[in-house]
Amino acid sequence: MFSLLKTRSKARKPAPPEMRTLDVAGRLMPLTIKQHDRATRITLRIEPGGRALKMTVPKGLAAREVNAFLDRHQGWLLTKLAKFSTDTGLRDGGEILLRGVSHRIQHSGSLRGLTEVVSTGGIPVLRVSGMPEHVGRRIGAFLKKEARADLARLAAMHAVTIRAPIRSISMKDTRSRWGSCSSEGNLSFSWRIVMAPPSVIDYLAAHEVAHLKEMNHGPHFWALCGKLCPGMDEAKSWLKRHGSQLHAIDFD
């Protein structure tokens, strides 16, 4: 009696993404080019914040065709990138949003001291110490701390409402999403949300807490999210209009 043995061919690993820098009218942009087996055309998109580009191409596409596509779309890229300013404004006299309110940045002139919110003549001011070249970094650290305080409080409140435990809360600087929730109950948020109005911060907390009960984006999830945050639709609209501007700020 004979048996026929069939050997399984090993699945080929996808080609690693190609990383390059694209010059768009003097503006150097990181570009990731990824081949996809099921892609039938070239797609090019600007990452949230306008700080990088991502390109998907059919598998095996010749490099000359990729380059020709990029050359043809220089004008499109230039137009789209124009709305993302390369000037962060993170310096003495500049401005930064905190909970939807514009705060004037004031460098204290001292090498030591806390970053703090004060009022000068009725104008909200964010006073920052340290070396002038480190102002952006110090503001970023301050925003992370404020975001953690806000989101921990709001998430805990919503979790009590739906009687669902939170295992942990972490702050990240993700570009693809504003938050996430794992099946173990770990919540993650982009700290940049603290620049948005309070109602938008509350929506993000409610959104991720709702996932503790509904790990999907089906009708039951959105109904629960709307119950936790009645201003959900307005908050979603605000993020759609202004979210990329928050991602565009370079704090480093």
Side-chain angles (χ1 to χ4, degrees):
M1 186 174 182
F2 298 91
S3 62
L4 182 63
L5 298 178
K6 294 183 179 180
T7 58
R8 295 181 180 178
S9 58
K10 293 183 178 180
R12 293 183 179 180
K13 293 183 179 180
E18 177 189 350
M19 311 296 294
R20 65 164 85 169
T21 300
L22 183 67
D23 188 334
V24 184
R27 186 170 180 172
L28 300 180
M29 299 292 298
L31 170 65
T32 301
I33 303 175
K34 186 176 182 179
Q35 295 186 24
H36 199 289
D37 290 338
R38 289 180 289 181
T40 57
R41 60 190 179 90
I42 301 174
T43 58
L44 176 65
R45 69 183 179 93
I46 301 172
E47 295 282 43
R51 298 171 63 186
L53 306 172
K54 186 175 182 180
M55 193 176 192
T56 302
V57 303
K59 188 176 180 180
L61 188 70
R64 64 178 180 276
E65 295 189 49
V66 173
N67 295 333
F69 181 93
L70 291 170
D71 288 341
R72 291 196 305 272
H73 288 79
Q74 279 275 323
W76 178 84
L77 281 172
L78 189 60
T79 300
K80 292 294 184 180
L81 290 171
K83 68 176 182 178
F84 299 105
S85 174
T86 56
D87 181 11
T88 64
L90 300 181
R91 57 179 177 273
D92 187 55
E95 294 186 349
I96 187 68
L97 287 172
L98 176 60
R99 301 182 181 94
V101 177
S102 181
H103 286 60
R104 182 164 57 83
I105 300 169
Q106 181 185 85
H107 185 243
S108 67
S110 173
L111 295 180
R112 294 185 179 182
L114 298 174
T115 300
E116 58 183 350
V117 173
V118 297
S119 179
T120 303
I123 299 174
V125 171
L126 185 63
R127 184 175 293 161
V128 188
S129 60
M131 299 292 289
E133 59 268 29
H134 296 158
V135 165
R137 196 178 308 164
R138 283 179 170 263
I139 292 175
F142 174 79
L143 294 181
K144 291 175 190 176
K145 183 185 70 172
E146 295 296 300
R148 176 176 288 279
D150 284 7
L151 289 163
R153 174 178 56 81
L154 292 167
M157 178 184 70
H158 292 310
V160 168
T161 300
I162 65 172
R163 297 180 181 178
I166 297 173
R167 183 177 180 183
S168 69
I169 294 178
S170 61
M171 297 295 115
K172 296 185 177 180
D173 193 13
T174 51
R175 306 285 179 183
S176 59
R177 59 176 64 183
W178 285 101
S180 65
C181 173
S182 74
S183 57
E184 293 80 18
N186 300 313
L187 304 185
S188 174
F189 299 99
S190 168
W191 54 264
R192 290 172 181 263
I193 198 68
V194 79
M195 292 184 278
S199 60
V200 180
I201 303 172
D202 182 48
Y203 159 67
L204 180 59
H207 184 114
E208 299 310 330
V209 168
H211 278 311
L212 294 172
K213 288 285 189 180
E214 298 286 340
M215 290 296 290
N216 56 70
H217 285 106
H220 292 297
F221 165 80
W222 289 115
L224 179 58
C225 192
K227 181 179 179 180
L228 293 174
C229 179
M232 175 182 72
D233 291 337
E234 292 79 4
K236 288 171 64 178
S237 178
W238 191 97
L239 273 180
K240 186 175 182 179
R241 294 194 313 271
H242 305 290
S244 61
Q245 297 171 18
L246 306 187
H247 281 306
I249 302 174
D250 186 357
F251 290 91
D252 294 327

